[in-house]
């Protein structure tokens, strides 16, 4: 068969949470591709490390910036678009040369994953296969021993980058909620939770499923949170 791109979800952090298919695709890859900061290996690459065959070629996609620039700046989107264009062209060249490329992605590739932007650029003319991965959110609520949805609860997945008023509105409407992309948005989220009357029930999970992970009440958190963190609001309890 002709070569293809395989976008593989590697889960939230624990290497043992890789699916059997993900592990097999990684071992069979001609080329392993992954995103990272310019000064780091990359979280997805680290998770997959034990499955990568020594000597496998690698494509290291180093972001031009991460938290140094605000998403509100027009240049942010322009430069990131050029970055993803370049990543997609490198993948296209490898596949065109007859090599199977595995693009690693933390969590699940189609939930806030950078791999989506490469898929968007290649899906019409490059053969693609998507391997779902365990998401950060279910890794975190399992680690926290926090059943998230009960009965007919409605679950909302919210980015903390939303305007504060919108966050408050969704937090008031939902039975259960997961709030991602905390970072510098943590103070805003705490205000929105307090205004929605839900701060006392919110949990903070950092580096879910990883050895360095921790769980605590969100109200106890300081003003900033690392990238790999999220907030959980479990739904109703005792409905059955």
């Amino acid at each position: 068969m002709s070569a293809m791109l395989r976008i593989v979800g590697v889960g939230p952090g624990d290497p043992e949470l890789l699916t059997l298919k993900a592990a097999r695709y990684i071992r069979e890859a001609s080329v392993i591709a992954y995103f990272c900061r310019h000064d780091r290996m990359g979280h997805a690459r680290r998770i997959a490390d034990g499955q990568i065959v020594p000597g496998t070629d690698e494509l290291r996609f180093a972001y031009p910036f991460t938290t140094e620039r605000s998403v509100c700046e027009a240049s942010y989107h322009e430069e990131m678009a050029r970055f993803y264009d370049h990543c997609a062209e490198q993948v296209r060249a490898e596949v065109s040369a007859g090599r199977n490329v595995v693009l690693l992605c933390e969590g699940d590739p189609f939930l806030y994953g950078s791999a989506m932007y490469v898929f968007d650029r290649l899906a019409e003319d490059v053969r693609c296969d998507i391997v779902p991965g365990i998401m950060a959110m279910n890794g975190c609520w399992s680690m926290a021993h926090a059943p998230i949805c009960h009965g007919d609860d409605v679950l909302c997945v919210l980015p903390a980058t939303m305007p504060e008023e919108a966050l408050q509105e969704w937090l008031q409407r939902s039975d259960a909620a997961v709030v991602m992309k905390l970072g510098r948005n943590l103070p805003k989220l705490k205000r929105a939770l307090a205004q929605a009357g839900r701060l006392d029930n919110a949990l903070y999970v950092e580096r879910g499923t990883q050895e360095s992970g921790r769980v605590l009440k969100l109200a106890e958190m300081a003003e900033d949170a690392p990238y790999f963190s999220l907030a959980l609001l479990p739904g109703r309890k005792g409905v059955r």
Side-chain angles (χ1 to χ4, degrees), residues 36-40 62-73 75-76 79-80 184:
C36 60
R37 278 179 47 137
H38 68 89
D39 56 347
R40 297 181 186 175
Y63 295 111
F65 45 79
T66 50
T67 59
E68 301 87 355
R69 193 173 303 185
S70 170
V71 297
C72 297
E73 297 179 38
S75 62
Y76 178 99
E79 291 193 36
M80 288 305 292
R184 300 172 184 172

Side-chain angles (χ1 to χ4, degrees), residues 125-161:
D125 55 357
V126 172
R127 291 179 62 231
C128 297
D129 189 13
I130 313 301
V131 180
I134 292 176
M135 298 173 289
M137 68 179 76
N138 53 322
C140 287
W141 65 55
S142 297
M143 176 177 160
H145 291 188
I148 199 73
C149 285
H150 300 72
D152 57 356
D153 282 346
V154 174
L155 170 65
C156 284
V157 180
L158 307 169
T161 51

Side-chain angles (χ1 to χ4, degrees), residues 83-116:
F83 168 68
Y84 289 122
D85 286 344
H86 181 61
C87 295
E89 288 311 309
Q90 290 185 74
V91 171
R92 187 193 304 276
E94 295 289 348
V95 174
S96 297
R99 313 182 80 200
N100 286 319
V101 177
V102 165
L103 176 56
L104 306 174
C105 186
E106 298 99 333
D108 183 87
F110 282 3
L111 183 73
Y112 296 124
S114 295
M116 287 187 295

Side-chain angles (χ1 to χ4, degrees), residues 21-39:
K21 178 175 277 192
R24 176 167 64 85
Y25 277 7
I26 293 168
R27 290 193 300 268
E28 295 174 349
S30 304
V31 180
I32 294 289
Y34 55 93
F35 296 96
C36 60
R37 278 179 47 137
H38 68 89
D39 56 347

